[in-house]
Structures are given as C-alpha cells and as structure tokens.
Amino acid sequence: AKMEAEFAVPESNSHLVSIEKVQSTARSTRVAAHSHLKGLGLHPDTREALPKAAGFFGQSEAREAAGVVVDLIKQQHMAGRAVLLAGPPGTGKTAIALAIAQELGNKVPFCPMVASEVYSSEVKKTEVLMENFRRAIGLRVREKKEVFEGEVTELTPIECDNPTGYGKAIDSVRLSLKTAKGAKQLKLDPSIYDSIIKQRIEVGDVIYIEANSGAVKRVGRSDAYASEFDLEADEFVPMPKGEVHKQKEIVQDVTLHDLDVANARPQSTRGDVTSLVSQLIKSKKTEITDRLRSEVDASVNEHISQGIAELLPGVLFIDECNMLDIESFTYLHRILECSFAPLVIFASNRGLSKIRGTEEVSAHGIPSDLLDRLIIIPTKKYDREAIHSIVKVRAEAESVKLDEAALSHLADLGAESSLRYVSQLLTPSKLLAQMNGRDTVIKQDVEEASELLIDAKRSARISEEEKLEKVAQEALLLASPNRPLAAAAAAAN
C-alpha cells in the first residue's frame, strides 16, 4: 500500500527533526523461540509447502495459505483487510506471522504485541494501538550526500592552551584517509573529535564523514588487518574504491514511530531552564498528539514525492486478540481503512468467546463486522514427526547436544503434552547433563528433567486427585457416627 500524497495538515511553526538524526526505537530482544525461521518454506514456482524448509516443519496447509496472503500483499490487494490465525496453543501461529514478515523482506518491520498491552495505566488504549501501528510501518530513506570516505591512516588531535587556564583543549583534529585510488588529509573541528572518541575509531578503521553535517560513521575494520588476533574486532570491510571525497548514497531505515518520538521530545537549548524543568516533571510515557503525527506524515509525504524515501508497510502481530474489548476493535476497524496501514495479523486459540465490554458471544471473541474483513487461516496440532524435527532444530539453535534416544523421548513427550513443553525441557536437560559431567544429553537427563518440571496435563491431574481426596475425606467425616474422633484422625493424617 502507498501513502496518499495529501493530508489535511494544520499549519504549524514547529520545526521537525530531520530524518537523518532520528534514532531507532526498535525493541531489542534475546534469541527467541522462532529465531531459526527464515521464511514460510514454499516452493518458489508452485508455492507448495516443502516438508522441511526455511526452518519450518509441518503446518503445510497454513503455510500455503500464508503464501497466498504474501502474494496478495506484493500485488497490493490486501488494503482494508487483515489475517486471523486460529488454532490450539503451540501450533505455530506466532511462527507463521514472523515467517510472513520474513517473506516480505529482511528490512520489513515486524511488531509483535499481546492484546492485554492496551490496558496500560499510562496511556489510552487507542494510543497503544496507534503506536504499535506506526512501529510496523517502515520508511527507507535514500539520499546522495557529499562524504569523505576511506581507511584511517592518521588520527592526531592538535592541542592548544585552554582559555580558562586549566590544562589543554582540543583545537582541531588532523585526520588522514586512504582509498584504493588516493589519500587526503583533513583538518576537522574539535566537535567531530567527540564523535570519533564515542565510536572508538582508531587507525585502520574504515569511516565516512558527511561534508555538510559533519556526522561521522564507523563502517568497520579494514580487511588489511584481518590477520590480527583481536577478540573484540567486528566485521572486516574492504578498503573503499574511488576518491576520498565523493558522492555516496546513504540508506537509512526508520519507522513512523521513530519519527513521532524524535519530534515529541523537547528540542531544548543550553540554558533553557523552562524546557529543562518540563523534562524533569514530565511523566515517564507521554501520548503523541494527532497534530504532531499529521506534521510527521506531511514531512514523510514530501520525502516520498521527491523520490528520497519509500514506504515499507510491515506486519503488526496481535496475539490473544480475544483480550481486546469492543472499543479497541472499533478503533482497529477504523485505522484498517488507512491507505498506509500495515498488515495486521490476529491470533487466537479460543472458539466461541464473549466480546469484552459486551454480553455478545462471537467466534474468537471478535465482533462480526470485523470478522468479515479477516482472512482466517487455521493451524493444527503438530504430529510426532514434526515435533521430532522441530526439537532437533531448536536444540541446535540453543547449542544443546542430544543423542538419538533423548531426541526420540522428547518427541514422545511432545506428542503426549505439547511442543512448548519439550522446548522448555532442552536447557534444563543440558544443565543436568553438565552436572553429571557430560556434554551430550541422554534419555536419563530428559526423564529426570520431566520428573522435576511437569507439564500442564500432569499438573491438572495432580490438582484433580487432591480435590477428589479432599472430597472423599469430607464425605467420610460426615458419614462417621463419631464425628469428633473422625475429624481428629483426618487432621492427624
């Protein structure tokens, strides 16, 4: 979907932050349960689900249906519609949503949320939904800039006497850059030296400096130093070609929410006491006004019309959507009509459920008018073979060595309980094996872990047995002719 060229934007004298100064607000996460997925695993020509591909196993029908949705998005035929993944817990709903985002592109934003997040004590429900909507809409900015790029061969700060009379001050910085075609020595402002220090730039690094703004960016370590034994060295990059001073296309990926946050922060100047106090007394999280978002959208439209930027609608995944109330569903119904809306994927493991805020019962707890807009993809429970394959991949992702007997036992446990349960047993089984002096997990370690950490079915069975035992004791107490003695005996037991 493309953003419309015109918006009804109120006139404002406020100055928006330039896009090249915007920092990403993407949430960093650890290695997750679906980090091994690279796509839906479909055949490129027939679009049929392959048995094992892109880290995906099983759910062939659901993957093929998701592939149809991906094709609809690429052909721009998904406007105003959303997707619902419906199935039992642990059947790969989140995995399919993430795989759809991977199929759309590596840089396409994927914003997962749980429906209960809207019940925040700090901001309104509609604000939480709109914030996540704009997190899922990316903006790729391509701009040609005049830069100095090359490998650093000299980095010397030039000192002078401090005007205050204490110590020395940096007067300027002498920087020499080398490329495959030539070399150039630059004399830089001391303010640039602060950026060089923060990025820990040293001789042998490949950097570029924007001529207009003076922004410095470290690209990596020159591959000429690849033979060094340096544990902290990051990726090595080749020496730049061409001249040191040249035109370079700079690509930056941000989201609309990044732009909103950057422009919502007070742009104070040094000595502005009023702005400083307002920041101190400001609440932890503030709502972004519709006026500000309209101004940001107008600025984005200007960049798009000039050919500098392009819009990348991503994926917003709302898990446990039955937790949303009627107000949230109504708001979602409205913003799905926007021409720049991302793909919204709902997930639910409920059948008939009451819509929160009403007495009406509906499928998956979703109002019927919104259900009409949804493309529903069912997911089914994994069989033993699929669980065996998935556990094997997850063990490799978590660096857990399993012998064949342990892997087979985990597959049996997964078929009896759930895939999530056996995935959670991997690391405890590894720890038990290490305590016994082994690097490889055997069947005995898995059995011990499953006895220490039980699944939901066994937990419910224990609770039910305790409940039945309690009922039997109460019945025995009521039936006994000598109730005080029976009560004392029951208490002693």
Side-chain angles (χ1 to χ4, degrees), residues 11 94 120 129 140 153 181 220 228 248 251 300 320 366 389 438 444 446 480 488:
E11 296 182 1
T94 305
S120 169
L129 290 171
R140 176 167 294 171
T153 57
K181 197 171 183 179
E228 287 186 353
K248 184 178 178 68
V251 180
V300 168
E320 304 293 344
I366 302 175
S389 301
R438 293 189 303 272
Q444 181 182 351
V446 176
S480 174

Side-chain angles (χ1 to χ4, degrees), residues 229-284:
F229 182 74
D230 188 358
L231 295 177
E232 296 185 357
D234 52 4
E235 61 176 324
F236 293 93
V237 296
M239 181 184 294
K241 299 178 182 179
E243 299 290 346
V244 174
H245 186 198
K246 57 189 171 185
Q247 294 280 338
K248 184 178 178 68
E249 185 181 61
I250 308 298
V251 180
Q252 184 179 7
D253 290 303
V254 296
T255 67
L256 295 188
H257 180 66
D258 297 337
L259 298 174
D260 296 340
V261 172
N263 290 285
R265 291 172 182 151
Q267 306 298 318
S268 61
T269 57
R270 185 176 298 178
D272 190 348
V273 179
T274 305
S275 179
L276 178 62
V277 172
S278 67
Q279 291 185 51
L280 291 175
I281 65 175
K282 196 171 75 170
S283 60
K284 183 179 178 182

Side-chain angles (χ1 to χ4, degrees), residues 407-420:
L407 181 58
S408 179
H409 187 58
L410 282 169
D412 293 336
L413 288 175
E416 294 174 2
S417 56
S418 68
L419 175 61
R420 286 179 179 170

Side-chain angles (χ1 to χ4, degrees), residues 61-81:
E61 295 86 355
R63 287 158 56 196
E64 291 178 7
V68 174
V69 171
V70 171
D71 294 338
L72 287 173
I73 296 169
K74 291 181 177 180
Q75 296 174 17
Q76 299 183 0
H77 292 307
M78 273 293 290
R81 286 185 284 184

Side-chain angles (χ1 to χ4, degrees), residues 277-294:
V277 172
S278 67
Q279 291 185 51
L280 291 175
I281 65 175
K282 196 171 75 170
S283 60
K284 183 179 178 182
K285 187 177 181 68
T286 58
E287 296 187 19
I288 299 169
T289 63
D290 290 337
R291 181 189 182 93
L292 176 63
R293 287 197 172 106
S294 299

Side-chain angles (χ1 to χ4, degrees), residues 378-487:
T379 58
K380 301 176 182 178
K381 192 174 182 180
Y382 287 105
D383 57 15
R384 185 192 179 282
E385 182 181 355
I387 292 175
H388 185 281
S389 301
I390 295 171
V391 171
K392 186 176 181 180
V393 173
R394 285 307 308 165
E396 293 175 358
E398 298 183 19
S399 302
V400 179
K401 294 181 180 179
L402 295 171
D403 67 3
E404 189 57 38
L407 181 58
S408 179
H409 187 58
L410 282 169
D412 293 336
L413 288 175
E416 294 174 2
S417 56
S418 68
L419 175 61
R420 286 179 179 170
Y421 172 64
V422 293
S423 298
Q424 293 168 353
L425 284 183
L426 287 174
T427 303
S429 300
K430 178 183 178 180
L431 294 176
L432 290 172
Q434 291 175 347
M435 291 170 60
N436 293 320
R438 293 189 303 272
D439 294 333
T440 303
V441 176
I442 63 175
K443 182 179 179 181
Q444 181 182 351
D445 300 322
V446 176
E447 290 175 345
E448 186 178 354
S450 63
E451 290 175 1
L452 294 172
L453 308 170
I454 63 176
D455 62 296
K457 291 181 179 178
R458 279 186 287 168
S459 177
R461 189 160 55 244
I462 291 173
S463 300
E464 186 65 25
E465 290 173 356
E466 291 179 351
K467 181 180 178 181
L468 292 175
E469 184 179 353
K470 185 177 179 180
V471 171
Q473 288 181 353
E474 292 177 352
L476 179 64
L477 179 63
L478 293 173
S480 174
N482 194 350
R483 292 185 182 180
L485 293 177

Side-chain angles (χ1 to χ4, degrees), residues 143-366:
E143 191 172 2
K144 287 188 176 181
K145 294 185 178 181
E146 187 178 352
V147 300
F148 295 92
E149 183 181 31
E151 176 190 330
V152 178
T153 57
E154 181 188 3
L155 180 59
T156 307
I158 301 174
E159 297 180 341
C160 65
D161 293 333
N162 197 323
T164 61
Y166 297 97
K168 297 287 186 179
I170 303 297
D171 178 62
S172 60
V173 179
R174 186 165 64 243
L175 178 70
S176 296
L177 297 178
K178 179 180 69 174
T179 64
K181 197 171 183 179
K184 187 179 287 291
Q185 189 177 78
L186 307 174
K187 186 178 181 181
L188 305 177
D189 188 82
S191 61
I192 299 179
Y193 187 64
D194 295 335
S195 180
I196 291 174
I197 294 298
K198 289 178 181 178
Q199 299 186 55
R200 299 180 180 179
I201 295 173
E202 57 185 20
V203 173
D205 292 343
V206 176
I207 67 170
Y208 71 82
I209 305 173
E210 295 181 12
N212 297 331
S213 63
V216 182
K217 174 69 175 178
R218 182 179 184 274
V219 181
R221 187 79 172 161
S222 174
D223 56 5
Y225 296 83
S227 60
E228 287 186 353
F229 182 74
D230 188 358
L231 295 177
E232 296 185 357
D234 52 4
E235 61 176 324
F236 293 93
V237 296
M239 181 184 294
K241 299 178 182 179
E243 299 290 346
V244 174
H245 186 198
K246 57 189 171 185
Q247 294 280 338
K248 184 178 178 68
E249 185 181 61
I250 308 298
V251 180
Q252 184 179 7
D253 290 303
V254 296
T255 67
L256 295 188
H257 180 66
D258 297 337
L259 298 174
D260 296 340
V261 172
N263 290 285
R265 291 172 182 151
Q267 306 298 318
S268 61
T269 57
R270 185 176 298 178
D272 190 348
V273 179
T274 305
S275 179
L276 178 62
V277 172
S278 67
Q279 291 185 51
L280 291 175
I281 65 175
K282 196 171 75 170
S283 60
K284 183 179 178 182
K285 187 177 181 68
T286 58
E287 296 187 19
I288 299 169
T289 63
D290 290 337
R291 181 189 182 93
L292 176 63
R293 287 197 172 106
S294 299
E295 293 177 357
V296 169
D297 290 342
S299 176
V300 168
N301 277 327
E302 184 179 352
H303 281 79
I304 293 174
S305 62
Q306 293 174 359
I308 298 174
E310 61 175 319
L311 214 60
L312 299 174
V315 174
L316 172 61
F317 177 64
I318 304 179
D319 202 2
E320 304 293 344
C321 64
N322 51 281
M323 291 296 295
L324 294 174
D325 61 6
I326 188 64
E327 296 176 7
S328 302
F329 282 124
T330 305
Y331 188 71
L332 283 169
H333 202 274
R334 182 183 72 84
I335 57 180
L336 276 174
E337 296 284 348
C338 298
S339 58
F340 57 93
L343 172 67
V344 180
I345 301 179
F346 298 99
S348 176
N349 54 25
R350 303 291 179 90
L352 291 174
S353 180
K354 184 183 293 186
I355 303 172
R356 287 177 65 99
T358 70
E359 295 299 322
E360 181 183 350
V361 176
S362 178
H364 312 295
I366 302 175

